[in-house]
Amino acid sequence: MYDDNPTIANLNNDIDERLQGQVYDDNKLHVKADKRYYIESYGCAMNFSDSEIVASILAKEGYASTKEMTEADLILVNTCSIREKAEETVRNRLQVYNSVKKKKKGTLIGVLGCMAERLKAKFLEQEKLVDIVLGPDAYRDLPRLLANASKGERGVNVLLSREETYADISPVRLDSNGISGYISIMRGCDNMCSFCVVPFTRGRERSRDAYTIVAEADEMIQAGYKEITLLGQNVDSYKWSNPESEEKVTFAQLLVMVAKVNPKVRIRFSTSHPKDIDEEVMYAIRDYENICKYIHLPVQSGSSRILELMNRTYTREWYLDKVKKIYEIIPDCTISSDIISGFCTETEEDHQETLSIIEEANFIMSYMYHYSERPGTLAARKYSDDVPHKTKQRRLSEIIKVQAQSSLNSNLKDIGKTFEVLIEGDSKKSKEQFKGRNSQYKVIVFPKHPGLSPGDFVFVKVEQVTSGTLIGSIVDQPTLA
Ligand code: SAH
Ligand code: SF4
Ligand code: F3S
């Protein structure tokens, strides 16, 4: 639907579902590298961000990255468990890695991330050619497990931690376009949405030292980044207490601290939980021009009855009140969502409520999925997965259709407006056109002008739209909408 979406994952944009594992390559690393690793990442942006931490740990061990799986001494896959399909993708990829390993004896295979955490040692039993299984909180142990694996000892570390934030590790940004990058500000999740496996795979919520976040932002800006996305499963519940003073930092305060590093650099964040986003955050977005006017606020369902079964802790009305408050405080803000079709016991009536909330809340886009039961979750234990697959699919396609219309309606209102756009690169369709995004996270394509390049900010006036893209041309005089 969004033809110009970037290949980098939004926190909720599961790349695995599009079968686009991302591969890092690095010949720029100035370390004495005598070994090579190949890494593929699946799942959410937190996983991609973790792969950059792993890359940093590996660099210190004398590993450089390669895009050629066949020339790697170590093949790593950072995995996702969010839906059955995500795990299937990884299982298929393991077959491919195994065939490489059979041809090149001595190649080590490591499984990282959420699926490693969920399946633990079972991985070594099920997948005979896997050498290392490492959960999201155990990456510092990679050098030890690598040393053991090279002696033929296969190893597992899936210990979850209450403290680990990798705060002191400076990620190696290998995949990046050098324009937009992520900073993890917290790990884990203390919510217990009944459908969700994340609290089991990523453990308890913990917030990272605010000053290490600001320092990382500063480093990225020095390196030329123009847009920074703060990442967490539930960013609004970020809370850091300085152990050396009485100081406490909330998410709104953190946003402002990062926004102040350089007012010319855009700040985004993901993901917000409707129950936790507060007015303090909304005022920060309103008051700082470089904090983007865009909130990803997953609703999951439009039915209060289903929301209760999902343990989302809000009702339809409460969600819509929150949305109203956002539009009141930040009139030019856009909102996007995540939606699940066919959760346990969902009726046609519940489904209709989901369709109508898309338009009522005016979502500019949604990441939409059909419910996939995950072992061990509250829903798997308590409720029966009783909506037939075909019904889930049909409802999902109806949701997609209504969302496309809602996106189009929102885009139509932008015709004639001028937006500041950060150029990200060539448009997918034409080398003659650039694509970028406005503060509201909408993709805009426009004809190139000489002298401009990715990373530049320009003002673009919107002339036409589709449901996924604004189309316009550069104007000199900013008349900001
Ligand atoms: N922390 C974020 C989302 C993390 S998972 C939040 O709370 O919004 C990303 C999205 O995957 C979720 O928002 C949800 O829509 C979807 N999801 C999670 N578990 C799922 C499941 N079992 N089946 C289908 N979709 C699921
Ligand atoms: Fe999962 Fe809910 Fe936590 Fe999001 S807030 S990661 S959906 S448990
Ligand atoms: Fe992310 Fe998937 Fe884990 S969505 S937190 S990688 S289960």
Side-chain angles (χ1 to χ4, degrees), residues 82 114 188-189 191 195-203 233 377:
I82 201 83
C114 290
C189 182
N191 292 320
F195 51 80
C196 185
V197 77
V198 172
F200 304 95
T201 61
R202 292 203 159 245
Q233 293 299 348
T377 55

Side-chain angles (χ1 to χ4, degrees), residues 11 14 42-44 47 79-82 114 197-198 201-202 233:
L11 178 59
D14 287 17
Y42 294 87
C44 65
N47 247 18
T79 61
C80 174
S81 280
I82 201 83
C114 290
V197 77
V198 172
T201 61
R202 292 203 159 245
Q233 293 299 348

Side-chain angles (χ1 to χ4, degrees), residues 18 48 60 113 165 254 309 333 349-350 394 436 480:
R18 302 189 201 164
F48 284 71
K60 290 207 178 76
T165 57
L254 179 74
L309 292 181
C333 194
E349 227 168 38
D350 295 318
R394 194 249 307 146
L480 269 184

